[in-house]
């Protein structure tokens, strides 16, 4: 099940060109392209005549021509030409999807277009700040349900075993977790005091010795995550800490777009509060982060296989509290949305 009245990432902006292409979001096939004004257009990818994907057709000006019999659709999905002469059938139209470009990403609204509001797209402080650096990588294809990655991003503990060479340290195995529910998601977080920096961060922080480390794992509905890592010299962190001037902060943004029930497209980038123009640092961080995400992918793909073929129930642990709370609330939102839709259609 998916929440439809929400913004999902459809593509990186640079991936959408003036050529027709098909993407899949929430199990729906969508034809995307740019018109002559460089605006992104998203249409149902099926000609209403014989359901050939429009992405197999041609762009004609700002219209799309079906590659089978030439039915032609404008950017609003309305058929403006059909063969045979006479009146164009009223059913000759395809669904248009609201889209919006922000943060170098194309966002798509999968539900009721009348309530789509671009102001509801997640707010990302410091994205355009000259004082913050950024690193990013290509989208990743996951062979698992999107909620398994949401679970993963509400689970600070897994790094101790999955990311031994990058994000792990001894304290990540058993330091207590705190779970906080917000208006738009769930946060799982903890401070680990006077510990060695994890290997990935030890190469980056600009101070020597031990640190106080914050793991802030937050997932917002429907499937957008902020992972905030804070490393400050030992003795300056904690909920009431003052934070040293050399404190390192990395905000990792992660966007899970369900393609099918068992496949997910995963978009990500990181913002950091140090050396914003250091391209070598950005490259190193992108490579190391992608390696860590590959470790996640390998595990979660196998988890999906295990869930599909299980012969006994799976169990939950105390460390799963945040994940379970997120899933319960999201499921309630989906059920409520479906009930409203059914009432409107009655």
């Amino acid at each position: 099940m998916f929440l439809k009245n929400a913004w999902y990432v459809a593509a990186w902006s640079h991936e959408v060109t003036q050529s027709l292409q098909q993407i899949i979001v929430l199990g729906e096939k969508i034809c995307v392209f740019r018109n002559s004004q460089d605006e992104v257009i998203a249409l149902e990818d099926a000609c209403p005549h014989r359901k050939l994907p429009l992405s197999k057709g041609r762009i004609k000006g700002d219209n799309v021509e079906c590659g089978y019999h030439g039915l032609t659709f404008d950017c609003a999905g309305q058929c403006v030409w059909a063969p045979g002469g006479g009146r164009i059938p009223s059913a000759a139209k395809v669904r248009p999807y609201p889209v919006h470009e922000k943060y170098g990403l194309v966002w798509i609204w999968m539900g009721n277009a009348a309530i789509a509001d671009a102001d509801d797209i997640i707010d990302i402080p410091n994205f355009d700040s000259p004082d913050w650096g950024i690193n990013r990588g290509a989208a990743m294809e996951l062979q698992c349900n999107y909620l398994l990655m949401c679970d993963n991003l509400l689970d600070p503990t897994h790094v101790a075993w999955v990311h031994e060479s990058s994000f792990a340290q001894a304290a990540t195995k058993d330091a207590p977790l705190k779970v906080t529910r917000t208006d738009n998601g769930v946060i799982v977080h903890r401070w680990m005091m006077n510990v060695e920096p994890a290997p990935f961060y030890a190469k980056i922080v600009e101070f020597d010795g031990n640190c106080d480390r914050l793991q802030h794992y937050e997932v917002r509905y429907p499937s957008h995550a902020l992972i905030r890592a804070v490393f400050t010299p030992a003795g300056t962190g904690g909920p009431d800490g003052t934070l040293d001037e050399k404190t390192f902060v990395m905000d990792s943004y992660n966007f899970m777009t369900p393609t099918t029930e068992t496949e997910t497209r995963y978009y990500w980038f990181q913002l950091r509060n140090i050396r914003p123009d250091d391209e070598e640092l950005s490259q190193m961080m992108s490579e190391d982060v992608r390696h860590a995400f590959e470790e996640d992918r390998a595990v979660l793909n196998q988890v999906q296989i295990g869930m599909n073929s299980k012969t006994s129930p799976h169990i939950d642990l105390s460390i799963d509290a945040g994940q379970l709370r997120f899933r319960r609330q999201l499921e309630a939102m989906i059920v409520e949305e479906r009930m409203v839709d059914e009432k409107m259609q009655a």
Side-chain angles (χ1 to χ4, degrees), residues 12-298:
W12 282 107
S13 287
H14 70 264
E15 293 178 317
V16 183
T17 67
Q18 291 186 329
S19 296
L20 301 175
Q21 59 181 299
Q22 183 186 91
I23 63 171
I24 301 176
V25 181
L26 309 193
E28 298 181 28
K29 296 177 180 178
I30 302 166
C31 175
V32 296
F33 64 99
R34 290 186 183 273
N35 65 14
S36 59
Q37 287 76 49
D38 204 38
E39 299 166 327
V40 177
I41 306 299
L43 301 174
E44 175 188 358
D45 197 16
C47 176
H49 178 224
R50 290 294 184 264
K51 299 300 181 179
L52 181 74
L54 290 181
S55 57
K56 299 298 184 182
R58 307 167 190 86
I59 292 179
K60 290 295 183 74
D62 278 343
N63 298 326
V64 179
E65 180 186 80
C66 177
Y68 195 10
H69 293 95
L71 279 78
T72 304
F73 301 86
D74 64 18
C75 292
Q78 185 62 49
C79 183
V80 295
W81 187 87
R87 176 176 166 273
I88 296 174
S90 60
K93 55 187 176 182
V94 294
R95 177 187 175 186
Y97 295 81
V99 290
H100 186 77
E101 288 191 81
K102 194 172 185 179
Y103 310 127
L105 296 163
V106 176
W107 299 79
I108 189 166
W109 182 270
M110 299 300 295
N112 182 356
I115 60 174
D117 185 348
D119 288 340
D120 292 335
I121 293 174
I122 186 174
D123 180 52
I124 300 181
N126 302 310
F127 182 82
D128 293 318
S129 172
D131 298 324
W132 286 66
I134 187 169
N135 61 283
R136 66 193 102 194
M140 298 178 65
E141 304 292 340
L142 309 177
Q143 301 303 309
C144 68
N145 183 275
Y146 75 110
L147 288 175
L148 290 179
M149 180 53 86
C150 291
D151 289 346
N152 195 65
L153 295 173
L154 281 171
D155 177 18
T157 302
H158 83 277
V159 303
W161 290 274
V162 179
H163 306 303
E164 288 184 319
S165 65
S166 54
F167 302 148
Q169 61 189 159
T172 57
K173 291 184 177 181
D174 52 17
L177 300 170
K178 295 183 179 180
V179 178
T180 304
R181 179 177 168 181
T182 69
D183 290 339
N184 56 12
V186 173
I187 300 171
V188 179
H189 57 108
R190 62 184 172 189
W191 276 98
M192 294 169 287
M193 310 301 287
N194 194 22
V195 296
E196 293 184 4
F200 171 81
Y201 300 101
K203 299 183 293 184
I204 302 171
V205 298
E206 297 179 332
F207 59 85
D208 297 322
N210 281 2
C211 68
D212 296 335
R213 174 184 181 181
L214 171 67
Q215 282 184 302
H216 174 106
Y217 279 45
E218 176 179 359
V219 182
R220 304 178 189 177
Y221 310 116
S223 52
H224 309 324
L226 163 62
I227 309 302
R228 172 167 292 155
V230 177
F231 287 78
T232 187
T236 65
D240 301 316
T242 55
L243 298 184
D244 188 86
E245 63 180 9
K246 292 186 177 181
T247 295
F248 170 71
V249 179
M250 185 178 82
D251 286 341
S252 178
Y253 287 91
N254 309 263
F255 308 106
M256 285 66 71
T257 299
T259 49
T260 69
E261 287 285 351
T262 56
E263 297 172 303
T264 303
R265 200 160 196 241
Y266 179 29
Y267 302 84
W268 57 272
F269 58 80
Q270 281 84 40
L271 298 172
R272 64 178 185 275
N273 70 333
I274 63 169
R275 291 146 57 191
D277 300 319
D278 190 333
E279 291 301 322
E280 185 176 341
L281 176 60
S282 295
Q283 181 65 26
M284 183 270 287
M285 291 179 67
S286 292
E287 291 175 358
D288 285 2
V289 167
R290 183 167 185 88
H291 173 74
F293 288 167
E294 290 288 357
E295 294 172 332
D296 284 323
R297 174 160 62 175

